[in-house]
Amino acid sequence: QVQLVESGGGLVRPGGSLRLSCAASGSISSITGMGWYRQAPGKERELVARITSGGSANYADSVEGRFTISRDNAKSTLYLQMNSLKPEDTAVYYCNADIIVPGFYYGRAYWGKGTLVTVSS
């Protein structure tokens, strides 16, 4: 059974930094695309950043230049370095990964349960 577990959320002051991690575990053949999404209270879930297995990344305009997505393929772990945080970055952050399990040729999307990031003074 595949699991994605996020960590690193918490309370931070505006202008501060946090680093989120997402560890994938279970029976995994390979992981292709991975990404971070977030959902603020009363809003829909939105893309924050995605990264391919080769390391190509794209970002939402709202976080470009402040957030950096990265991954360690050997550890099946995804990261999100968040700098210059703003109150509007407050949300539950979810990890997403396209994972191929043994016996299958195609992957499907898996989601973590989320980690709360609160930016407030």
Side-chain angles (χ1 to χ4, degrees):
Q1 185 175 358
V2 174
Q3 280 191 314
L4 297 177
V5 179
E6 301 99 335
S7 61
L11 174 64
V12 63
R13 296 185 183 277
S17 298
L18 279 177
R19 189 192 195 207
L20 305 183
S21 299
C22 170
S25 63
S27 184
I28 298 172
S29 290
S30 65
I31 304 175
T32 54
M34 302 184 80
W36 290 99
Y37 293 73
R38 67 186 181 186
Q39 187 166 18
K43 295 188 176 182
E44 294 185 354
R45 191 174 298 189
E46 63 176 3
L47 171 69
V48 176
R50 286 196 66 83
I51 187 169
T52 67
S53 57
S56 295
N58 63 283
Y59 298 88
D61 290 344
S62 59
V63 307
E64 182 83 53
R66 299 187 297 122
F67 292 9
T68 302
I69 190 171
S70 62
R71 62 191 284 176
D72 184 331
N73 291 331
K75 296 181 178 179
S76 298
T77 301
L78 178 71
Y79 304 99
L80 185 69
Q81 178 66 44
M82 304 186 294
N83 298 328
S84 303
L85 282 160
K86 305 175 180 179
E88 51 263 44
D89 294 318
T90 295
V92 177
Y93 284 70
Y94 297 91
C95 174
N96 166 271
D98 296 322
I99 296 174
I100 302 173
V101 299
F104 289 82
Y105 289 105
Y106 300 99
R108 75 167 184 87
Y110 290 82
W111 291 90
K113 294 183 178 180
T115 184
L116 177 62
V117 172
T118 303
V119 185
S120 175
S121 56

